[in-house]
Amino acid sequence: DVKVTQSSRYLVKRTGEKVFLECVQDMDHENMFWYRQDPGLGLRLIYFSYDVKMKEKGDIPEGYSVSREKKERFSLILESASTNQTSMYLCASNYQGNEQFFGPGTRLTVL
Amino acid sequence: AQRVTQPEKLLSVFKGAPVELKCNYSYSGSPELFWYVQYSRQRLQLLLRHISRESIKGFTADLNKGETSFHLKKPFAQEEDSAMYYCALMNSGYALNFGKGTSLLVTP
């Protein structure tokens, strides 16, 4: 069974904190993605990665960075969390142009 | 620039009625289009993609390049179809460009 897991379902942080969101997939997929999901805005791509140590900016990379040290793991980093980063964060992975498989999401609240 | 438009935020239909969720896109190349669905408290999952031409859970979607549309249709809606539906366009880098989503509510 295909699995994309995310380290936390719910997270509450304070403004200015450094936040790490972790994503792990067990399908040996080259491509991994981070999206944020907001009501009325749909899903927007933050960053993606084709391979280990490779990263590409998506549509809304400001305020975020990523790390991919191992093929199965893709981390999203908020260097200094702000209230406008309160959102649902979804990780996904796929092989080439095939179906993307999504994690359960992390609901982040920044106070 | 590529863009996906879902004009309806909310669509409410009665059980047994036909349903059509609209999706329009703009893309200069040959589009690779998907419909994803998110049921309450579940993760986002693929419903169908245009190249497979499959019917999943009674839903179909036809790519109309002339109208740049990829509308999702089902002849008889069921209560279990109530969910959030997203149309998405895959770009050359294999990332998805999503529409804003349509919330479908099927009432008895």
Side-chain angles (χ1 to χ4, degrees), chain A residues 55-68:
Chain A
K55 61 183 179 183
E56 296 284 342
K57 291 181 179 179
D59 298 318
I60 52 164
E62 296 79 19
Y64 303 95
S65 62
V66 290
S67 172
R68 193 159 179 209

PDB file of all heavy atoms in Angstrom, chain A residues 55-68:
ATOM      1  N   LYS A  55      16.129  21.065  -5.677  1.00  0.00           N
ATOM      2  CA  LYS A  55      14.895  21.749  -5.287  1.00  0.00           C
ATOM      3  C   LYS A  55      14.567  22.813  -6.308  1.00  0.00           C
ATOM      4  O   LYS A  55      15.450  23.388  -6.932  1.00  0.00           O
ATOM      5  CB  LYS A  55      15.015  22.364  -3.890  1.00  0.00           C
ATOM      6  CG  LYS A  55      16.115  23.406  -3.770  1.00  0.00           C
ATOM      7  CD  LYS A  55      16.226  23.933  -2.357  1.00  0.00           C
ATOM      8  CE  LYS A  55      17.341  24.951  -2.241  1.00  0.00           C
ATOM      9  NZ  LYS A  55      17.522  25.439  -0.853  1.00  0.00           N
ATOM     10  N   GLU A  56      13.267  23.050  -6.445  1.00  0.00           N
ATOM     11  CA  GLU A  56      12.782  24.072  -7.362  1.00  0.00           C
ATOM     12  C   GLU A  56      11.697  24.876  -6.653  1.00  0.00           C
ATOM     13  O   GLU A  56      10.857  24.301  -5.942  1.00  0.00           O
ATOM     14  CB  GLU A  56      12.181  23.436  -8.621  1.00  0.00           C
ATOM     15  CG  GLU A  56      13.159  22.645  -9.478  1.00  0.00           C
ATOM     16  CD  GLU A  56      14.068  23.543 -10.283  1.00  0.00           C
ATOM     17  OE1 GLU A  56      13.734  24.725 -10.453  1.00  0.00           O
ATOM     18  OE2 GLU A  56      15.124  23.050 -10.746  1.00  0.00           O
ATOM     19  N   LYS A  57      11.682  26.166  -6.889  1.00  0.00           N
ATOM     20  CA  LYS A  57      10.632  27.006  -6.306  1.00  0.00           C
ATOM     21  C   LYS A  57       9.322  26.784  -7.036  1.00  0.00           C
ATOM     22  O   LYS A  57       9.288  26.616  -8.253  1.00  0.00           O
ATOM     23  CB  LYS A  57      11.028  28.485  -6.416  1.00  0.00           C
ATOM     24  CG  LYS A  57      12.203  28.868  -5.532  1.00  0.00           C
ATOM     25  CD  LYS A  57      12.521  30.345  -5.681  1.00  0.00           C
ATOM     26  CE  LYS A  57      13.684  30.733  -4.791  1.00  0.00           C
ATOM     27  NZ  LYS A  57      14.030  32.166  -4.931  1.00  0.00           N
ATOM     28  N   GLY A  58       8.270  26.805  -6.244  1.00  0.00           N
ATOM     29  CA  GLY A  58       6.942  26.746  -6.817  1.00  0.00           C
ATOM     30  C   GLY A  58       6.369  28.138  -6.974  1.00  0.00           C
ATOM     31  O   GLY A  58       7.092  29.102  -7.229  1.00  0.00           O
ATOM     32  N   ASP A  59       5.075  28.264  -6.764  1.00  0.00           N
ATOM     33  CA  ASP A  59       4.404  29.546  -6.974  1.00  0.00           C
ATOM     34  C   ASP A  59       4.522  30.499  -5.782  1.00  0.00           C
ATOM     35  O   ASP A  59       4.462  31.705  -5.944  1.00  0.00           O
ATOM     36  CB  ASP A  59       2.926  29.298  -7.281  1.00  0.00           C
ATOM     37  CG  ASP A  59       2.743  28.482  -8.549  1.00  0.00           C
ATOM     38  OD1 ASP A  59       3.457  28.762  -9.530  1.00  0.00           O
ATOM     39  OD2 ASP A  59       1.888  27.574  -8.555  1.00  0.00           O
ATOM     40  N   ILE A  60       4.668  29.947  -4.588  1.00  0.00           N
ATOM     41  CA  ILE A  60       4.695  30.792  -3.385  1.00  0.00           C
ATOM     42  C   ILE A  60       5.828  30.397  -2.446  1.00  0.00           C
ATOM     43  O   ILE A  60       5.613  30.018  -1.307  1.00  0.00           O
ATOM     44  CB  ILE A  60       3.330  30.748  -2.638  1.00  0.00           C
ATOM     45  CG1 ILE A  60       2.897  29.296  -2.367  1.00  0.00           C
ATOM     46  CG2 ILE A  60       2.253  31.470  -3.424  1.00  0.00           C
ATOM     47  CD1 ILE A  60       1.803  29.178  -1.334  1.00  0.00           C
ATOM     48  N   PRO A  61       7.086  30.501  -2.873  1.00  0.00           N
ATOM     49  CA  PRO A  61       8.192  30.036  -2.030  1.00  0.00           C
ATOM     50  C   PRO A  61       8.622  31.003  -0.923  1.00  0.00           C
ATOM     51  O   PRO A  61       9.374  30.614  -0.023  1.00  0.00           O
ATOM     52  CB  PRO A  61       9.323  29.888  -3.048  1.00  0.00           C
ATOM     53  CG  PRO A  61       9.025  30.947  -4.066  1.00  0.00           C
ATOM     54  CD  PRO A  61       7.509  31.015  -4.161  1.00  0.00           C
ATOM     55  N   GLU A  62       8.142  32.233  -0.968  1.00  0.00           N
ATOM     56  CA  GLU A  62       8.628  33.254  -0.017  1.00  0.00           C
ATOM     57  C   GLU A  62       8.310  32.839   1.419  1.00  0.00           C
ATOM     58  O   GLU A  62       7.173  32.497   1.749  1.00  0.00           O
ATOM     59  CB  GLU A  62       7.981  34.606  -0.322  1.00  0.00           C
ATOM     60  CG  GLU A  62       8.334  35.193  -1.677  1.00  0.00           C
ATOM     61  CD  GLU A  62       7.540  34.559  -2.813  1.00  0.00           C
ATOM     62  OE1 GLU A  62       6.488  33.942  -2.545  1.00  0.00           O
ATOM     63  OE2 GLU A  62       7.985  34.678  -3.977  1.00  0.00           O
ATOM     64  N   GLY A  63       9.338  32.890   2.249  1.00  0.00           N
ATOM     65  CA  GLY A  63       9.174  32.558   3.657  1.00  0.00           C
ATOM     66  C   GLY A  63       9.387  31.088   3.970  1.00  0.00           C
ATOM     67  O   GLY A  63       9.306  30.678   5.131  1.00  0.00           O
ATOM     68  N   TYR A  64       9.672  30.309   2.921  1.00  0.00           N
ATOM     69  CA  TYR A  64       9.864  28.868   3.082  1.00  0.00           C
ATOM     70  C   TYR A  64      11.209  28.437   2.490  1.00  0.00           C
ATOM     71  O   TYR A  64      11.740  29.089   1.593  1.00  0.00           O
ATOM     72  CB  TYR A  64       8.768  28.078   2.368  1.00  0.00           C
ATOM     73  CG  TYR A  64       7.364  28.397   2.784  1.00  0.00           C
ATOM     74  CD1 TYR A  64       6.607  29.333   2.069  1.00  0.00           C
ATOM     75  CD2 TYR A  64       6.769  27.764   3.873  1.00  0.00           C
ATOM     76  CE1 TYR A  64       5.314  29.637   2.435  1.00  0.00           C
ATOM     77  CE2 TYR A  64       5.462  28.059   4.241  1.00  0.00           C
ATOM     78  CZ  TYR A  64       4.746  28.994   3.518  1.00  0.00           C
ATOM     79  OH  TYR A  64       3.459  29.282   3.891  1.00  0.00           O
ATOM     80  N   SER A  65      11.730  27.346   2.988  1.00  0.00           N
ATOM     81  CA  SER A  65      12.845  26.659   2.349  1.00  0.00           C
ATOM     82  C   SER A  65      12.592  25.164   2.487  1.00  0.00           C
ATOM     83  O   SER A  65      11.671  24.751   3.196  1.00  0.00           O
ATOM     84  CB  SER A  65      14.186  27.047   2.980  1.00  0.00           C
ATOM     85  OG  SER A  65      14.216  26.664   4.342  1.00  0.00           O
ATOM     86  N   VAL A  66      13.379  24.358   1.780  1.00  0.00           N
ATOM     87  CA  VAL A  66      13.194  22.910   1.815  1.00  0.00           C
ATOM     88  C   VAL A  66      14.547  22.217   1.896  1.00  0.00           C
ATOM     89  O   VAL A  66      15.593  22.805   1.618  1.00  0.00           O
ATOM     90  CB  VAL A  66      12.435  22.385   0.573  1.00  0.00           C
ATOM     91  CG1 VAL A  66      10.975  22.818   0.602  1.00  0.00           C
ATOM     92  CG2 VAL A  66      13.120  22.817  -0.716  1.00  0.00           C
ATOM     93  N   SER A  67      14.471  20.956   2.250  1.00  0.00           N
ATOM     94  CA  SER A  67      15.675  20.136   2.327  1.00  0.00           C
ATOM     95  C   SER A  67      15.334  18.728   1.895  1.00  0.00           C
ATOM     96  O   SER A  67      14.310  18.167   2.322  1.00  0.00           O
ATOM     97  CB  SER A  67      16.215  20.122   3.766  1.00  0.00           C
ATOM     98  OG  SER A  67      17.271  19.203   3.903  1.00  0.00           O
ATOM     99  N   ARG A  68      16.191  18.163   1.040  1.00  0.00           N
ATOM    100  CA  ARG A  68      16.010  16.767   0.636  1.00  0.00           C
ATOM    101  C   ARG A  68      17.386  16.094   0.652  1.00  0.00           C
ATOM    102  O   ARG A  68      18.089  16.094  -0.338  1.00  0.00           O
ATOM    103  CB  ARG A  68      15.361  16.657  -0.732  1.00  0.00           C
ATOM    104  CG  ARG A  68      14.899  15.225  -1.000  1.00  0.00           C
ATOM    105  CD  ARG A  68      13.858  15.148  -2.029  1.00  0.00           C
ATOM    106  NE  ARG A  68      13.442  13.786  -2.285  1.00  0.00           N
ATOM    107  CZ  ARG A  68      12.986  13.384  -3.460  1.00  0.00           C
ATOM    108  NH1 ARG A  68      12.903  14.233  -4.474  1.00  0.00           N
ATOM    109  NH2 ARG A  68      12.608  12.122  -3.622  1.00  0.00           N
TER     110      ARG A  68
END
